[in-house]
Amino acid sequence: MNSPRMSDLIRRAAYLVVFLALLIGFGKSLHAFYRIFITPDPADFARPWFWIQVAWSVPLTLLAASSLLFRKPSRANTAILLFSLLVAMYPFEIALWALNMDTSFSREGRQMHFEHLRKQGITVDMRTPLNVIFDLRRAGVQAVPTFSPSVQTVPSGPLFPLSAISRKLTVLCNHSGSYATYISDEHGFNNPTGLWRHRLPFDIAIFGDSFAQGFCVDQDKDFSSYVRHKFPATANLGMSGTGPLAQLATMREYLPFLKPRLVLWLYYEGNDLDDLDRELRDPMLQNYLMPGFTQGLIRRQGEIDLVYLEQIERKLKDFRSTPPPTPPQTDSEITKTMRLFRTRGLIFSALRARVFSRDPVHDKSLLDSYGQVVLAADRQVDALGGKLVLVYLPDWVRIKGRLADLGYQQKEDVLAIAKRAGIPVVDIGEIFRTHPDAAHGFLVYAGSHYSEEGYRLAADYVLSRLPEFTQSGSRLSR
């Protein structure tokens, strides 16, 4: 046996292992910093993932660089350490695979959900929303996307629509393998055609963001539809992309034409305070903090339709239909195991739930502003003879494992604001808590909107609580 030759081989192998570790660590560090600071992902889940990438890639880079340049620690010891850590993870990864544990994180949750659907034999529509709209228009259907309210310019001046295009097939999103759609009503909301002709007063009006609007289910499977089964005179005025101030504005514009006995205001803890922070900087929306301000939107639906239709035509003008993207190539179970896919997912999910969701996240001034908006909404509803109820919608992180944590997403502060205003609260987390696996039973995947069953459960729970908020002299009609 040639001992010097073997020693030389070991040194070369150690050098190669450490050099590869340096390349991987440095490359991952650059990638993470680029995604965090240069091209930040707007999705809420992305930033924590890249900070986790920084947490391991930077130390790896420093360790490998120190070993290569200064031999502290020695290259052999560094290679043994890295190899031992890597090998030690695989029994854990194999155990997760054997137990069939779902450790997926939000970034790949949708892709994994679609993979699961395909394994069940369900055809998955991989087209983009614009592809879907283009194809529908080629077939003679004047389909449109949904819009998030924003300032528009019309001949009469600035216009801030709080609804979408009226009387059009509206393409939402895809959670089930096919795109959810609905035909918008005469004012651009997700309601059955002709609902606005119902005699006054209405039973219920529902406000909120995309959860109220009905993402990502068909029209008869959303929260408001399940409520409408019991109370037909129920109007849904939810609109994606809105926060509390835009929803107050929507109440100001449309409630006088409904005069509902009860208003259900859906508060989604995942982003409503973030949306409010953004809305408070909008000059048009700020006007709604002044009593009596209105744009007269219910009489301006023609202008709203025109401005949005012009935007769609501009987008489609140069659009060339491309073949629907092929389903992404999913890794085999062996490849996932080699990549430590489940271990990485478990670490990310745990850190996201316990580290990157620290509270509080908003200062007192924003909470005071939210309190001001809540009081204004309560006065608006009360002036029309109605009762305002706040429906608290938990996000995926809470449903997954923080149902009892009042500090998370400043829930305690939000509930205290409602209590001071004398507004009753229905906490959907209370009914989710009674189900052992609510995160998988009532959300489609991590970070998604609620499933059809989730919306149904939430609506049924709210309906079961309605007797607490309606007196015998002002019962809701049936």
Side-chain angles (χ1 to χ4, degrees):
M1 181 176 180
N2 192 336
S3 180
R5 185 175 180 181
M6 180 61 69
S7 298
D8 183 64
L9 183 61
I10 292 174
R11 284 196 298 271
R12 288 175 181 273
Y15 181 88
L16 180 60
V17 169
V18 177
F19 184 72
L20 287 175
L22 177 64
L23 291 180
I24 293 172
F26 186 66
K28 287 293 186 178
S29 298
L30 286 181
H31 176 252
F33 282 116
Y34 178 77
R35 293 301 299 271
I36 291 171
F37 298 109
I38 307 301
T39 59
D41 192 320
D44 179 59
F45 55 75
R47 188 173 294 271
W49 170 248
F50 290 117
W51 275 117
I52 292 172
Q53 190 168 303
V54 168
W56 66 262
S57 62
V58 171
L60 177 62
T61 303
L62 295 176
L63 174 65
S66 177
S67 180
L68 286 174
L69 297 176
F70 308 110
R71 302 197 179 191
K72 293 183 179 180
S74 69
R75 295 167 186 170
N77 288 342
T78 303
I80 292 171
L81 172 64
L82 294 175
F83 187 75
S84 299
L85 288 174
L86 188 63
V87 170
M89 291 182 183
Y90 280 104
F92 185 66
E93 176 73 14
I94 293 172
L96 293 177
W97 168 77
L99 294 172
N100 196 29
M101 290 187 63
D102 178 13
T103 63
S104 61
F105 41 84
S106 299
R107 172 163 289 278
E108 301 192 20
R110 184 171 183 267
Q111 178 180 333
M112 291 185 65
H113 170 63
F114 283 167
E115 177 186 351
H116 179 67
L117 292 179
R118 282 191 290 270
K119 288 180 179 179
Q120 293 180 314
I122 298 174
T123 301
V124 176
D125 189 344
M126 296 303 297
R127 292 176 297 173
T128 66
L130 196 57
N131 273 116
V132 174
I133 292 166
F134 187 86
D135 290 344
L136 285 169
R137 289 193 163 215
R138 285 198 306 182
V141 179
Q142 292 299 303
V144 299
T146 187
F147 288 92
S148 296
S150 60
V151 172
Q152 307 294 327
T153 301
V154 297
S156 59
L159 172 70
F160 198 110
L162 295 165
S163 64
I165 300 173
S166 64
R167 299 183 175 92
K168 296 291 185 183
L169 181 69
T170 303
V171 177
L172 287 178
C173 42
N174 182 358
H175 278 357
S176 64
S178 59
Y179 274 87
T181 62
Y182 67 87
I183 297 177
S184 57
D185 67 17
E186 49 266 55
H187 295 293
F189 294 103
N190 184 2
N191 290 299
T193 302
L195 180 71
W196 288 79
R197 294 195 296 270
H198 195 283
R199 63 180 176 84
L200 300 182
F202 271 60
D203 292 327
I204 297 173
I206 297 172
F207 293 84
D209 61 5
S210 53
F211 282 82
Q213 186 177 359
F215 276 48
C216 294
V217 296
D218 287 327
Q219 191 169 41
D220 60 339
K221 302 296 184 182
D222 64 336
F223 176 87
S224 63
S225 295
Y226 288 119
V227 173
R228 197 176 292 116
H229 290 167
K230 186 171 184 179
F231 298 103
T234 295
N236 176 10
L237 291 94
M239 190 58 56
S240 64
T242 61
L245 183 54
Q247 291 155 19
L248 168 65
T250 308
M251 293 182 194
R252 182 80 54 77
E253 295 289 347
Y254 295 98
L255 270 187
F257 303 92
L258 300 172
K259 294 184 170 61
R261 293 185 174 95
L262 189 70
V263 171
L264 300 178
W265 192 5
L266 275 56
Y267 175 91
Y268 176 59
E269 67 177 351
N271 56 26
D272 269 14
L273 287 179
D274 296 324
D275 290 337
L276 176 62
D277 191 27
R278 168 179 51 80
E279 291 171 348
L280 287 169
R281 295 190 289 271
D282 188 285
M284 180 66 81
L285 287 179
Q286 287 176 9
N287 292 327
Y288 284 96
L289 293 173
M290 299 184 295
F293 174 80
T294 178
Q295 298 180 77
L297 293 181
I298 202 164
R299 298 184 300 274
R300 303 177 69 183
Q301 189 61 43
E303 293 178 80
I304 295 172
D305 288 349
L306 182 61
V307 70
Y308 280 147
L309 286 171
E310 288 177 348
Q311 288 187 27
I312 296 172
E313 294 305 323
R314 284 197 298 269
K315 288 182 178 180
L316 293 176
K317 184 177 180 180
D318 299 322
F319 180 77
R320 297 293 182 267
S321 183
T322 57
T326 57
Q329 296 296 319
T330 55
D331 294 333
S332 67
E333 294 301 323
I334 294 177
T335 303
K336 287 181 179 179
T337 301
M338 293 297 294
R339 294 175 55 222
L340 297 171
F341 178 80
R342 300 169 190 83
T343 301
R344 292 186 296 114
L346 185 63
I347 293 172
F348 175 74
S349 297
L351 288 175
R352 172 164 168 75
R354 298 298 177 183
V355 177
F356 293 101
S357 297
R358 295 290 185 185
D359 308 293
V361 294
H362 296 291
D363 59 24
K364 184 177 182 299
S365 64
L366 183 65
L367 291 170
D368 289 343
S369 296
Y370 176 64
Q372 183 182 0
V373 170
V374 168
L375 287 173
D378 189 48
R379 288 193 295 267
Q380 176 75 33
V381 175
D382 185 67
L384 296 170
K387 177 70 175 178
L388 179 63
V389 176
L390 189 72
V391 180
Y392 194 99
L393 302 180
D395 68 4
W396 179 82
V397 172
R398 181 179 299 282
I399 297 172
K400 184 70 174 176
R402 301 186 67 173
L403 281 168
D405 188 350
L406 288 176
Y408 174 65
Q409 297 287 23
Q410 297 173 276
K411 179 178 181 178
E412 189 172 27
D413 296 320
V414 172
L415 297 182
I417 289 170
K419 183 177 181 180
R420 287 196 297 270
I423 299 173
V425 176
V426 177
D427 183 1
I428 300 302
E430 293 175 357
I431 189 64
F432 283 166
R433 188 180 303 180
T434 64
H435 295 265
D437 193 19
H440 294 97
F442 306 121
L443 279 80
V444 184
Y445 53 83
S448 75
H449 291 84
Y450 294 169
S451 64
E452 294 177 5
E453 185 62 19
Y455 283 124
R456 185 200 62 77
L457 183 69
D460 286 349
Y461 184 62
V462 171
L463 290 171
S464 72
R465 297 282 304 276
L466 289 190
E468 303 174 27
F469 317 125
T470 56
Q471 300 175 354
S472 57
S474 60
R475 289 178 181 169
L476 301 177
S477 62
R478 292 192 59 179

